[in-house]
């Protein structure tokens, strides 16, 4: 076999291996996707069962159903805390009443950056003080 024939055979082999590996990755990806779809269906079946039987479930599911109910209450509590924190955060002023008067120190009225005392412009956004 000549050198060029060996190079050609080697190149052909590399191409076949690469294609084979590419096909394997694609097939693994498909298996993963199908497995994920099955898990989603399992979850949907469980959610439907829970919603249908949460008040009259079989004994084997009672503990899990009670845990879900408890978690739902915890989620509602945390969502309430989030709403309260949003309101609290929205109400925060970036200046104090004394700073708001002349804007000569404190925080920039435009961007909220801390101002350097006696500065004429905000060092962050350039707004005139």
């Amino acid at each position: 076999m000549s050198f060029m024939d060996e190079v050609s055979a080697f190149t052909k082999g590399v191409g076949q291996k690469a294609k084979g590996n590419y096909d394997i990755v694609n097939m693994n990806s498909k298996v993963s996707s199908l497995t994920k779809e099955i898990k989603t269906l399992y979850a949907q079946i469980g959610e439907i069962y829970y919603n249908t039987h949460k008040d009259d479930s079989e004994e084997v599911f009672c503990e899990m159903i009670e845990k879900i109910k408890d978690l739902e209450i915890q989620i509602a509590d945390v969502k309430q805390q989030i709403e309260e924190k949003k309101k609290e955060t929205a109400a925060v002023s970036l200046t104090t009443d004394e700073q708001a008067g002349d804007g000569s120190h404190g925080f920039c009225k435009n961007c909220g950056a801390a101002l350097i005392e006696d500065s004429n412009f905000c060092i962050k956004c350039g707004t005139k003080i």
Side-chain angles (χ1 to χ4, degrees):
M1 194 179 259
S2 75
F3 176 74
M4 291 307 287
D5 289 338
E6 288 178 22
V7 169
S8 177
F10 176 79
T11 304
K12 184 177 180 182
V14 167
Q16 287 174 338
K17 281 186 173 268
K19 184 183 181 322
N21 287 334
Y22 176 78
D23 290 344
I24 289 168
V25 167
N26 280 342
M27 287 183 276
N28 279 330
S29 178
K30 185 167 185 154
V31 167
S32 177
S33 176
L34 294 170
T35 301
K36 190 181 223 179
E37 190 173 343
I38 288 172
K39 287 181 180 182
T40 299
L41 290 170
Y42 283 155
Q44 289 174 348
I45 289 168
E47 185 175 0
I48 290 168
Y49 179 88
Y50 169 74
N51 287 327
T52 305
H53 298 287
K54 62 183 166 187
D55 295 323
D56 65 345
S57 64
E58 298 173 27
E59 188 174 330
V60 68
F61 297 109
C62 288
E63 186 176 325
M64 287 185 280
I65 287 175
E66 289 304 314
K67 180 69 175 172
I68 290 171
K69 287 179 181 180
D70 181 53
L71 293 170
E72 288 174 337
I73 291 168
Q74 290 179 42
I75 289 169
D77 289 344
V78 172
K79 284 182 176 180
Q80 178 64 36
Q81 291 172 13
I82 289 169
E83 289 306 312
E84 291 170 4
K85 184 57 78 173
K86 282 180 181 179
K87 290 176 186 173
E88 180 182 312
T89 302
V92 171
S93 174
L94 297 178
T95 60
T96 63
D97 290 340
E98 68 181 45
Q99 293 168 338
D102 62 2
S104 62
H105 61 286
F107 299 94
C108 174
K109 292 179 182 179
N110 183 52
C111 71
L115 298 175
I116 297 173
E117 194 168 335
D118 298 328
S119 63
N120 293 324
F121 296 93
C122 173
I123 61 172
K124 185 174 179 185
C125 71
T127 299
K128 186 173 180 176
I129 306 302

